[in-house]
């Protein structure tokens, strides 16, 4: 009777089938995971930018040009105030052929009980949106694709625009 | 024999995943660090302007002869700064950004050769002195050293 030696290592057909299936699943899902990961990073950057913009508004320390404008016509904005970012909402507008990317609109919800006048809110909201776009652009190193106002902001697969801030 | 050292497939795979995660998050980490540093500068600038404004208000309300000594910090965070004041407020500028802390309107004496508004230079000490001259309160800003 012939005896089988087991010194060279063997893998079962079942194992090869499993590995094959897992590989196919990984290949198919990797693109989806990559998209989700990129959007996740972009949202983290957006939150970071929103906080940066709201901090500047809260401390009432602005770039010189904005400061002079506020001093002449929006004096209230040169006083510190409490501003809180509640959440940033994303609206997916699908694939945009102009930019060859999926277009996402970001809408920020902000709570600032001390700022009630619309023109003041517009100024502060624009700053928050500017820093959101700037943070996304710097995170993905896409300064060469956008303009001075970082509008729109780009990542590899997405293009981000910002809607007017919603004041609560 | 196990003398040559081995790397398991699991270890290499995990290392690959970690490197992928690190490279994709490094930019967001650097952006966050920058945000924290800027916030610190903004906070310090606001704090300094409010401190000076508060000192002027105290000297003003303290009456004739009241004085406070102010020591200015050498810089704000890692940035230089400029601080100046006039009869309506204290202005601060650092890293291209400007802010104002308001004071109760009062006459401030300063050397006109310094230009419009009195500049308080970094790392210097100043005396704020309340003097009543012909019925008017004047805050004198005197450079001590």
């Amino acid at each position: 009777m012939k005896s089988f030696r087991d010194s060279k290592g063997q893998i079962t057909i079942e194992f090869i089938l499993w590995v094959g299936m897992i590989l196919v699943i990984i290949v198919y899902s990797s693109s989806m995971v990559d998209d989700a990961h990129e959007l996740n990073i972009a949202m983290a950057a957006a939150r970071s930018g929103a906080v940066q913009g709201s901090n500047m508004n809260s401390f009432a320390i602005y770039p010189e040009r904005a400061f002079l404008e506020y001093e002449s016509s929006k004096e209230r904005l040169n006083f510190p105030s409490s501003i809180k970012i509640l959440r940033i909402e994303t609206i997916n507008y699908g694939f945009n052929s102009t930019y060859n990317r999926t277009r996402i609109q970001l809408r920020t919800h902000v709570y600032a009980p001390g700022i009630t006048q619309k023109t003041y809110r517009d100024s502060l909201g624009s700053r928050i949106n500017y820093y959101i776009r700037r943070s996304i652009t710097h995170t993905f190193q896409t300064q060469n694709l956008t303009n001075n106002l970082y509008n729109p902001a780009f990542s590899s697969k997405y293009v981000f625009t910002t809607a007017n801030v919603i004041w609560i | 024999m196990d003398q040559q050292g081995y790397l398991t497939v699991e270890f290499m795979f995990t290392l690959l995943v970690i490197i992928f995660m690190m490279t994709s998050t490094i930019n967001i980490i650097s952006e966050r660090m920058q945000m924290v540093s800027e916030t610190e500068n903004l906070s310090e600038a606001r704090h300094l302007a409010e401190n000076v404004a508060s000192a002027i208000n105290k000297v003003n309300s303290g009456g004739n002869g009241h004085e406070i000594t102010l020591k200015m910090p050498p810089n704000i965070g890692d940035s230089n700064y400029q601080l100046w004041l006039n009869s309506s407020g204290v202005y601060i500028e650092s890293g291209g950004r400007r802010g104002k802390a308001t004071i109760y309107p009062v006459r401030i004496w300063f050397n006109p050769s310094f230009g419009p508004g009195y500049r308080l230079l970094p790392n210097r000490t100043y005396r704020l002195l309340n003097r009543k001259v012909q019925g008017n309160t004047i805050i004198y800003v005197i450079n001590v050293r």
Side-chain angles (χ1 to χ4, degrees):
Chain A
M1 193 172 158
K2 195 176 177 183
S3 65
F4 292 99
R5 296 186 64 181
D6 195 13
S7 60
K8 292 187 177 173
Q10 294 160 4
I11 45 176
T12 61
I13 292 286
E14 189 188 6
F15 178 75
I16 294 171
L17 277 173
W18 272 114
V19 169
M21 273 172 62
I22 289 168
L23 273 176
V24 169
I25 291 168
I26 287 175
V27 167
Y28 272 98
S29 61
S30 63
S31 156
M32 216 163 62
V33 170
D34 194 30
D35 288 2
H37 180 65
E38 187 176 316
L39 190 58
N40 214 15
I41 293 282
M43 288 309 295
R47 273 190 286 276
S48 175
V51 170
Q52 194 173 355
S54 104
N55 281 342
M56 197 179 276
N57 293 334
S58 298
F59 288 118
I61 308 258
Y62 306 108
E64 189 178 345
R65 208 167 131 187
F67 176 85
L68 294 174
E69 183 202 333
Y70 297 160
E71 197 172 41
S72 64
S73 60
K74 297 172 183 170
E75 181 68 16
R76 167 67 184 87
L77 298 183
N78 279 337
F79 290 89
S81 47
S82 164
I83 297 169
K84 191 176 174 185
I85 303 291
L86 297 177
R87 67 194 170 96
I88 300 175
E89 186 186 349
T90 57
I91 302 164
N92 191 330
Y93 282 93
F95 187 79
N96 184 301
S97 54
T98 311
Y99 298 113
N100 205 25
R101 287 168 168 83
T102 303
R103 186 182 155 218
I104 304 277
Q105 190 182 56
L106 302 172
R107 191 175 290 166
T108 311
H109 296 247
V110 178
Y111 176 67
I115 308 288
T116 50
Q117 206 165 316
K118 188 182 177 303
T119 49
Y120 296 169
R121 287 182 164 185
D122 288 346
S123 297
L124 299 188
S126 298
R127 178 163 297 104
I128 290 170
N129 279 337
Y130 169 82
Y131 277 95
I132 287 175
R133 296 192 303 268
R134 193 181 88 139
S135 179
I136 292 173
T137 302
H138 284 192
T139 300
F140 290 98
Q141 305 280 314
T142 51
Q143 288 92 331
N144 57 329
L145 298 178
T146 187
N147 54 27
N148 286 342
L149 296 172
Y150 305 102
N151 195 14
F154 293 92
S155 70
S156 315
K157 293 171 184 161
Y158 297 98
V159 54
F160 297 92
T161 54
T162 46
N164 286 342
V165 163
I166 293 172
W167 297 88
I168 294 173
Chain B
M1 296 285 282
D2 195 13
Q3 289 177 337
Q4 292 183 343
Y6 291 95
L7 282 179
T8 61
V9 173
E10 287 96 330
F11 176 76
M12 282 170 24
F13 184 70
T14 311
L15 198 65
L16 203 71
V17 170
I18 288 172
I19 289 170
F20 173 72
M21 299 281 282
M22 288 290 285
T23 49
S24 62
T25 53
I26 201 135
N27 284 336
I28 186 76
I29 292 169
S30 115
E31 187 68 18
R32 282 270 161 101
M33 297 285 281
Q34 194 191 337
M35 190 262 283
V36 169
S37 157
E38 279 187 23
T39 304
E40 188 188 358
N41 285 357
L42 291 175
S43 155
E44 282 188 26
R46 170 55 57 192
H47 185 66
L48 179 60
E50 294 293 343
N51 256 356
V52 175
S54 165
I56 292 170
N57 286 337
K58 279 180 193 160
V59 170
N60 186 12
S61 59
N64 190 24
H66 195 88
E67 76 169 70
I68 286 179
T69 303
L70 265 182
K71 170 97 175 75
M72 305 304 290
N75 44 39
I76 290 176
D78 49 2
S79 309
N80 296 326
Y81 70 92
Q82 288 188 48
L83 189 141
W84 66 99
L85 48 104
N86 61 25
S87 58
S88 68
V90 177
Y91 294 81
I92 190 155
E93 188 172 310
S94 174
R97 296 191 177 131
R98 195 182 278 193
K100 177 189 180 185
T102 47
I103 57 174
Y104 294 113
V106 64
R107 281 180 65 187
I108 299 210
W109 178 89
F110 62 92
N111 188 337
S113 66
F114 288 149
Y118 199 95
R119 283 185 193 282
L120 302 186
L121 300 174
N123 219 10
R124 298 271 183 90
T125 303
Y126 294 89
R127 274 171 66 212
L128 305 175
L129 176 64
N130 182 326
R131 278 270 180 271
K132 206 154 220 171
V133 180
Q134 295 168 348
N136 296 318
T137 298
I138 299 176
I139 307 291
Y140 286 83
V141 183
I142 302 154
N143 188 354
V144 179
R145 61 175 179 273

